[in-house]
Amino acid sequence: MNLLAVERIKLFSTRSPWWCALITLALSVGFAAIMAGATEPTDPVTISATQFGASQFGIAVVMVLAALAVTTEYRFNTIRTTFQAVPHRSPALVAKAAVVGLLSLVLGEIAAFGAWGLGVVMRPNDNLGLHTTQDWLNVAGIGPVFALSAVLAVAVGILVRHSAGAIALLLIYYLAVEELVQLIPKIGAHIHEWLPFNVANKFLRGSEVVNGPAPSDSPLSPGWALAYFAGIAIVFLLVALGVAKKRDA
């Protein structure tokens, strides 16, 4: 518990988490307002459309937040003090991942329900009620995906250690690589089915094909999709912990 408290203090004593949190909320709610305002009255807005900002851009900002939580310590050499206090290193890094993940979970839920609530207010005649399990996953599922994305970003931050490099790697992969993989002849579509953020999208949206972001082509069910995404995040974190133990701070 002491490690969690220390990591919480370190995280909230810098400005970047606050700015990233505000940007995430602004993007999530802002895109919901755009979707609700720009769509013709005869064309109903869907629940997943209200989550466009959170599911497409909010995740990117959360990963920036998580990567900075680690790389900033390497940049200013405060990580050395942390490792002197916790020689085994892994507990401190796991505590950091837990704190960042919990913050991202809460931030995701606030962003998702805020965007959905705004959609309900702006489009009261559309069917935006949370009536089915998939409806709830569209909204409440944003928090777990944010949390796991943050853990994955912490792992990448530990491995890369440089802010610019970690952020560039995360954003390029998230915003471009998974889509570009589909262009590989013959095998691209099959590889894309198992890429992490595509699978996470299956958890959020199921097989929905109506208005909103393109659905995932993953063959997994929503429940297994979340488990798969969580497994990838945990594997990356374990690899990062192993590397952190073996190299100099």
Side-chain angles (χ1 to χ4, degrees), residues 98-225:
V99 169
V100 175
L102 182 59
L103 171 63
S104 301
L105 173 67
V106 174
L107 183 60
E109 296 301 329
I110 294 173
F113 279 97
W116 169 76
L118 182 62
V120 171
V121 171
M122 294 183 66
R123 302 294 294 252
N125 296 325
D126 293 349
N127 185 22
L128 292 177
L130 303 179
H131 304 299
T132 67
T133 300
Q134 192 57 57
D135 290 340
W136 279 98
L137 291 180
N138 280 174
V139 182
I142 293 290
V145 172
F146 270 29
L148 293 172
S149 299
V151 171
L152 182 60
V154 167
V156 172
I158 295 170
L159 292 169
V160 178
R161 298 196 291 184
H162 299 285
S163 297
I167 292 171
L169 182 62
L170 288 165
L171 293 185
I172 290 172
Y173 178 82
Y174 175 69
L175 297 174
V177 171
E178 288 202 358
E179 294 301 318
L180 293 176
V181 163
Q182 299 180 84
L183 301 179
I184 300 175
K186 297 183 180 179
I187 63 171
H190 298 292
I191 295 174
H192 182 258
E193 291 178 353
W194 297 98
L195 295 180
F197 291 103
N198 178 53
V199 174
N201 192 36
K202 182 60 174 285
F203 167 68
L204 291 175
R205 302 193 59 225
S207 301
E208 184 180 3
V209 294
V210 294
N211 295 341
S216 168
D217 57 2
S218 170
L220 297 174
S221 67
W224 280 110

Side-chain angles (χ1 to χ4, degrees), residues 36-81:
T39 304
E40 294 295 330
T42 56
D43 190 9
V45 173
T46 63
I47 293 173
S48 62
T50 67
Q51 302 305 308
F52 179 80
S55 63
Q56 299 299 308
F57 301 107
I59 292 175
V61 181
V62 163
M63 288 195 295
V64 171
L65 183 159
L68 287 175
V70 179
T71 57
T72 301
E73 285 212 63
Y74 281 102
R75 178 184 177 188
F76 293 105
N77 288 324
T78 56
I79 197 72
R80 294 180 182 272
T81 304

